[in-house]
């Protein structure tokens, strides 16, 4: 018997076979929409996720506000630690300082908050940015209430105190604005 020759191997060109390619992509689970409406081009992008989906859409001026806040907190903290008499005099217009310790403790607390502000300036995580903005808003709100209560007790009203109160209200408004802007759901494109 003569040995039969096996039939020549037919090479399938899956690159040109559209149906084969679509079947392969369907088996792999890529190419179609997922639950979020995302279309993944490869299994790797499907597993690792789409980086754009997690990016924070930053409101205009957010990073400038974070920088200004960090500088403001750092400057007042250093002034409270190094020159407590001058800081008290600038705010309460000539009132006598009875003890430097509370002012220096205030400076230490502000320095701690300023470190958080500086670190939040370099992050892209939405949650950290929002918590930092909420911390700022709470701080400025509490400071507004404390200074107002002090004014009611002492009756000292000066231009410095009025400017401080006005600036605190402005800072609360700006921080709350950015807090809500960062927390908004991004629009689907």
């Amino acid at each position: 018997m003569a040995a039969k020759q096996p039939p020549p191997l037919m090479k399938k060109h899956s690159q040109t076979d559209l149906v084969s390619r679509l079947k392969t992509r369907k088996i792999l689970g890529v190419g179609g929409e997922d639950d979020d409406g995302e279309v993944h081009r490869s299994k790797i992008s499907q597993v690792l996720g789409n980086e754009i989906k997690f990016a924070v859409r930053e409101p205009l001026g957010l990073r400038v506000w974070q920088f200004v806040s960090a500088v403001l907190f750092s400057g007042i903290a250093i002034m409270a630690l190094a020159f407590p008499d001058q800081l008290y005099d600038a705010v309460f217009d000539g009132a006598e300082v009875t003890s430097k310790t509370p002012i220096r403790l205030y400076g230490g607390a502000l320095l701690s908050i300023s470190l958080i502000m500086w670190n939040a300036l370099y992050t892209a995580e939405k949650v950290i940015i929002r918590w930092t903005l909420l911390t700022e808003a709470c701080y400025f709100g509490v400071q507004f209430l404390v200074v107002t209560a002090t004014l009611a007790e002492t009756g000292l009203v000066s231009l410095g105190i009025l400017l401080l109160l006005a600036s605190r209200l402005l800072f609360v408004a700006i921080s709350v604005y950015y807090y809500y802007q960062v927390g908004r759901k991004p629009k689907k494109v």
Side-chain angles (χ1 to χ4, degrees):
M1 269 189 123
K4 272 188 158 184
Q5 290 286 348
L9 295 174
M10 294 195 56
K11 194 172 182 182
K12 191 172 189 178
H13 296 286
S14 64
Q15 296 292 339
T16 58
D17 188 7
L18 181 62
V19 175
S20 175
R21 230 180 343 166
L22 290 174
K23 283 181 184 176
T24 305
R25 291 180 69 77
K26 187 166 184 137
I27 290 169
L28 288 173
V30 295
E33 287 188 7
D34 64 3
D35 297 337
D36 296 329
E38 300 283 329
V39 177
H40 298 282
R41 301 204 181 280
S42 69
K43 197 66 177 174
I44 293 173
S45 72
Q46 189 177 11
V47 171
L48 295 178
N50 191 356
E51 194 174 300
I52 297 168
K53 184 168 39 173
F54 299 110
V56 176
R57 198 183 121 259
E58 294 178 356
L60 190 64
L62 173 67
R63 295 300 179 173
V64 173
W65 173 245
Q66 286 181 306
F67 178 75
V68 167
S69 295
V71 168
L72 183 77
F73 274 78
S74 299
I76 294 174
I78 291 169
M79 190 170 175
L81 288 170
F83 312 108
D85 293 330
Q86 287 80 1
L87 180 66
Y88 193 84
D89 186 44
V91 174
F92 292 106
D93 221 11
E96 188 64 33
V97 178
T98 56
S99 176
K100 293 180 182 181
T101 305
I103 299 170
R104 287 198 170 127
L105 287 172
Y106 168 72
L110 277 186
L111 190 62
S112 300
I113 293 173
S114 75
L115 292 175
I116 294 170
M117 300 295 167
W118 284 112
N119 285 324
L121 183 63
Y122 299 108
T123 188
E125 290 186 43
K126 190 175 178 178
V127 174
I128 293 175
I129 293 171
R130 289 192 81 207
W131 272 106
T132 307
L133 291 166
L134 186 62
T135 301
E136 281 182 65
C138 288
Y139 167 77
F140 291 133
V142 167
Q143 188 177 30
F144 177 82
L145 293 174
V146 167
V147 172
T148 304
T150 304
L151 281 179
E153 286 176 5
T154 61
L156 292 174
V157 178
S158 67
L159 182 62
I161 292 176
L162 293 177
L163 286 175
L164 177 73
L165 290 174
S167 68
R168 294 315 172 225
L169 282 178
L170 177 68
F171 294 161
V172 166
I174 293 171
S175 296
V176 168
Y177 168 76
Y178 281 125
Y179 176 80
Y180 282 113
Q181 289 298 313
V182 170
R184 277 189 359 196
K185 298 259 184 211
K187 295 177 183 174
K188 288 270 185 179
V189 179

